[in-house]
């Protein structure tokens, strides 16, 4: 979802009478309910991509018992896709709150090889966010008449897959409910079961929106989301495969950029995906977050369009400390009067990727075209944008970009495009009244993919393909989130992922098939050409049948940016004695002076007024002053998750080992509150570094 005050609810309720059993679709998809959301669909294919296939969903989700009396009509929009290192393909989509999310899995050994036509026999895995919450565990999530059709989430979803670690790669899944926030769970058996029950308070800050995930190694997973209070992009690390996210924190919008992109009022920002550099280069483990926002603080305050693209880069998250820093870099600003300045670059999410040599790639839409830029120095500087789409798509409506990369400069970009120019939200252009009373004059939308094998060149060469083998949607497409008035059947985005053979795997939403429940929702209007026919988005899948033979898998690593002169940094973590005798207080600190930036985490269960949790906040620029081997840091803070506080920390690196030598002190103040503590650290280490 995008920035908005509430999460989408599934709107339609109908009488439920049909029992549910398991069925098998023509594509060999298994574990499907007998009564599916739409009849199974397999398209003709086009020789380059596999025949488009829908992923099965139940038609109805009962409430109040196995026979209803009411049911949610089940849809599946905003589909995501990931492929693990062992070739397992995962797909996920959302039903909307409180319907939860749905998951599919294809693993050849367990589910069978590709069919003769190239389609994959996916297994429907049910609802991972529903396990143990409102029914009897995960066993009742697929095809069971006792599943109540409710879950703590469904507003947004994302997946992350880990490295094998000697066994089956972990898959982490999150689902958004806004309040309390993000629901998290994980599976170690390819989605056949998930941790029961899921963690419904994975986000440390309640009241959240649009979470993203990525994973590295056998058990490390990162989670990002907007918090409603500041609208910064909060990032948390999990060391347990994505069940809890308490092992590290950071804020992707740095204090210098916050006036331009943050705050509870004004334009704010749209947060795109979170991404980890998976390369073996020195950049490996770098963490990136892409977002779009106005160009400056004045434009933000005046609620002007989000015409600038930014990437937040962290080279400290991989250190494994309790806190980490991001530094924001501007990728591009759309010139005044251009489509990007008029429409904004939030059409809807920007997206990013890294290849196996540490090059970073960013894509976005200005409603008219899809643009692309690359970085050869870990996100610090960026090439001049190039238009990705070509041919008949140029100047038409093109939205929902996504990107994936691997090898050396191999990049694929996907989006949906219409056959006519104009704003995708404008019904007068995209869904006018047709003279024959049908939808024959409405805009026709398809899924496109552009591929390059020299993605980090100044002017890469892209080849464009049509990935859909049929028109997937007619009419308007909303890019305004829940605040938009255009059609939202497709949600806000779809995804592409690359498998180990360098082939693009695409999951997208599609409503070209009229829903069978049109007879109750739009009686008398069930013809496919009827503008009033009831449709809802359903998840579909296709993949490249063969990899590009020109892909390069050798080469040199991307470069690094030169640190600013006079740069000094401090990093530290450990414990000092608590104010309560016999107890300890824990801290994590990271700060730099060029530009000033700091992250602090401090916990003292023995504080006089009760357990104390202090976390820095980027709503103001911190003061960071080094003096020899010591540093003083002052800034804004949240105390026990509440804003409005300030802190001052002093830390000294007095040699190795840190325990017994280094010192740490803290002062926290706020409304009718003060706290201070200091001492020699009893564990951990503090390190001051100068250029």
């Amino acid at each position: 979802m995008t920035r908005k005050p509430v999460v989408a609810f599934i709107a339609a309720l109908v009488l439920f009478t049909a029992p549910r059993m398991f069925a098998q679709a023509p594509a060999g998809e298994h574990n499907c309910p007998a009564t599916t959301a739409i009849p199974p669909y397999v398209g003709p294919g086009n020789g380059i991509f596999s025949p488009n296939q829908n992923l099965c969903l139940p038609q109805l989700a009962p409430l109040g018992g196995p026979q209803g009396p009411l049911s949610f009509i089940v849809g599946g929009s905003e589909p995501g896709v990931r492929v693990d290192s062992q070739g397992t393909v995962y797909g996920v989509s959302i039903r909307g709150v409180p319907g939860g999310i749905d998951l599919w899995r294809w693993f050849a050994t367990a589910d069978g090889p590709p069919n003769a036509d190239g389609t994959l026999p996916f297994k429907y895995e049910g609802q991972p966010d529903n396990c143990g919450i409102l029914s009897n565990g995960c066993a009742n999530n697929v095809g069971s008449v006792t599943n109540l059709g409710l879950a703590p989430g469904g507003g947004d979803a994302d997946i992350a897959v880990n490295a094998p670690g000697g066994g089956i790669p972990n898959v982490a899944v999150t689902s958004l409910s806004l309040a309390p926030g993000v629901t998290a769970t994980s599976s170690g058996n390819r989605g056949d079961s998930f941790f029961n029950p899921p963690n419904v308070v994975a986000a440390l800050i309640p009241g959240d929106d649009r979470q993203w995930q990525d994973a590295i190694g056998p058990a490390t997973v990162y989670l990002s989301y907007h918090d409603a209070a500041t609208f910064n992009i909060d990032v948390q690390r999990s060391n347990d495969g994505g069940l809890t996210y308490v092992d590290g924190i950071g804020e992707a919008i740095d204090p210098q950029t916050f006036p331009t992109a943050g705050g509870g009022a004004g334009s704010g920002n749209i947060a795109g995906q979170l991404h980890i550099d998976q390369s073996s280069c020195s950049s490996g483990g770098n963490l990136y977050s892409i977002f779009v926002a106005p160009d400056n603080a004045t434009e933000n305050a005046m609620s002007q369009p989000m015409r600038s693209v930014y990437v937040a880069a962290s080279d400290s998250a991989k250190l494994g400390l309790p806190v980490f820093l991001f530094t924001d870099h501007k990728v591009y600003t759309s010139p005044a009067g251009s489509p990007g300045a008029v429409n904004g670059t939030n059409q809807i999410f920007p997206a990013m990727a890294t290849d196996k040599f540490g090059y970073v790639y960013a894509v976005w839409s200005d409603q008219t075209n899809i643009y692309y830029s690359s970085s050869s120095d870990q996100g610090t500087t960026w090439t001049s944008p190039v238009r990705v789409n070509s041919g008949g798509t140029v100047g038409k409506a093109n939205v929902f970009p996504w990107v994936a990369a691997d090898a050396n400069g191999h990049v694929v970009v996907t989006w949906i495009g219409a056959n006519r120019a104009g704003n995708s939200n404008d019904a007068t252009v995209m869904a006018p009244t047709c003279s024959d009373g049908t939808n024959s004059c409405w805009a026709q939308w398809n899924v496109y993919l552009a591929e390059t094998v020299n993605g980090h060149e100044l002017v890469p060469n892209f080849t464009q393909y049509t990935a859909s083998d049929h028109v997937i949607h007619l009419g308007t497409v909303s890019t305004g989130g829940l605040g938009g008035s255009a059609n939202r059947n497709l949600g806000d985005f779809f995804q592409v992922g690359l498998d180990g053979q360098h082939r693009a795997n695409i999951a997208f939403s599609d409503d070209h098939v009229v829903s069978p429940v049109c007879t109750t929702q739009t009686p008398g209007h069930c013809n496919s050409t009827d503008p009033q026919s009831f449709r809802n988005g359903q998840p579909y899948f296709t993949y490249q049948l063969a990899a590009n033979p020109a892909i390069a898998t050798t080469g040199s690593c991307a470069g690094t940016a030169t640190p600013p002169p006079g740069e000094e940094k401090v990093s530290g973590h450990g414990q000092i004695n608590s104010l309560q005798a016999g107890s300890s207080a824990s801290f994590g600190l990271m700060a730099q002076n060029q530009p000033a930036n700091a992250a602090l985490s401090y916990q003292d269960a023995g504080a006089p007024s009760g357990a104390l949790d202090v976390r820095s906040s980027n709503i103001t620029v911190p003061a960071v002053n080094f003096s020899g081997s010591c540093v003083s840091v002052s800034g804004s803070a949240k105390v026990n998750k509440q804003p409005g506080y300030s802190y001052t920390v002093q830390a000294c690196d007095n040699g190795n080992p840190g325990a017994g030598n280094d010192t740490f002190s803290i002062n926290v103040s706020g409304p009718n509150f003060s706290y201070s503590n200091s001492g020699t650290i009893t564990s951990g280490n503090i390190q001051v570094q100068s250029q």
Side-chain angles (χ1 to χ4, degrees), residues 116-134:
D117 62 358
T119 56
L120 302 183
F122 278 91
K123 178 185 180 184
Y124 176 51
E125 294 284 15
Q127 296 192 273
D129 60 342
N130 199 2
C131 295
I133 296 296
L134 295 170

Side-chain angles (χ1 to χ4, degrees), residues 573-576 584-588 600-605 612 664 683:
H573 73 289
Q575 294 180 318
I576 60 173
S584 296
S586 301
F587 71 91
L600 168 71
S601 171
Y602 180 84
Q603 294 81 36
D604 184 358
L612 178 68
F664 179 88
S683 67

Side-chain angles (χ1 to χ4, degrees), residues 136-225:
N136 185 24
C138 300
N140 287 333
N141 280 358
V142 181
S144 168
V145 294
T146 63
N147 182 2
L148 297 182
L150 293 173
D156 289 312
D158 206 12
I159 320 172
V161 291
N162 287 98
I168 296 174
N170 174 72
V171 56
V173 179
T174 56
S175 178
L176 182 73
S177 61
L178 184 63
V182 177
T183 295
T185 188
S186 61
S187 172
N189 59 3
R190 304 189 200 280
D192 284 337
S193 64
F194 282 83
F195 190 89
N196 187 358
N199 175 13
V200 298
V201 288
L204 295 177
I205 301 172
D208 313 308
D209 192 16
R210 191 49 274 179
Q211 86 282 8
W212 302 105
Q213 291 176 269
D214 203 4
I216 190 170
T220 300
V221 187
Y222 287 90
L223 167 72
S224 69
Y225 57 91

Side-chain angles (χ1 to χ4, degrees), residues 1 5 34 51 59 81 218 249 261 298 332 357 407 413 452 469 476 525 563 608 620 653 655 673:
M1 293 189 305
Q59 187 179 96
V81 65
I249 58 170
T298 300
Y332 179 70
F357 291 84
V413 180
T452 180
D469 56 19
T476 62
H525 299 280
T620 59
D653 178 2
F673 177 83

Side-chain angles (χ1 to χ4, degrees), residues 32-47:
C32 295
T35 306
T36 53
I38 62 171
Y41 178 88
V42 175
N46 58 21

